[in-house]
Amino acid sequence: MSTDSLAELRRRIDEADLALLEALAARRRAVLAIADVKRRHGIAVIQPDRFLALVNDRIATGLSLGLSPAFVQTLFERIHEQAIADQLGVVCSEERASK
């Protein structure tokens, strides 16, 4: 393998990483919007049935893309942990502001 092809492969990884980060940022914006809706309507932040359905769907999609089910599950568990933290931040900041 030439260093040129290695550099090209690394460039492709860098592009994929940027796209991944942009997708995560877009997802976070949606999470924060959902948190606001949940706050206004008194809906619990944690929705276990929704998360289970989401993870099962993402595992199936990941499998179809050649990804390990364990990897996809771990990835989405971590993403979900952050989503909960972000949503709780919205709900708790509103509660502090109303006191």
Side-chain angles (χ1 to χ4, degrees):
M1 175 180 289
S2 73
T3 56
D4 288 342
S5 60
L6 182 58
E8 172 59 21
L9 292 171
R10 287 180 174 161
R11 186 192 61 73
R12 288 173 41 196
I13 288 173
D14 291 345
E15 288 176 2
D17 287 349
L18 177 59
L20 180 60
L21 291 170
E22 289 171 343
L24 287 169
R27 188 183 197 283
R28 183 173 188 268
R29 288 189 296 274
V31 163
L32 294 174
I34 286 170
D36 188 54
V37 170
K38 287 180 176 180
R39 178 193 53 78
R40 285 186 280 117
H41 295 282
I43 300 169
V45 167
I46 299 173
Q47 303 285 313
D49 292 340
R50 162 72 179 147
F51 177 66
L52 182 60
L54 180 143
V55 168
N56 288 334
D57 177 72
R58 299 321 182 260
I59 288 171
T61 301
L63 270 171
S64 73
L65 296 170
L67 299 173
S68 154
F71 170 71
V72 173
Q73 180 168 349
T74 300
L75 176 64
F76 276 91
E77 286 172 353
R78 182 62 193 107
I79 289 170
H80 188 248
E81 289 170 7
Q82 186 61 50
I84 289 170
D86 289 341
Q87 288 185 44
L88 288 173
V90 169
V91 171
C92 291
S93 68
E94 178 65 25
E95 288 174 358
R96 285 191 298 273
S98 66
K99 289 183 180 179

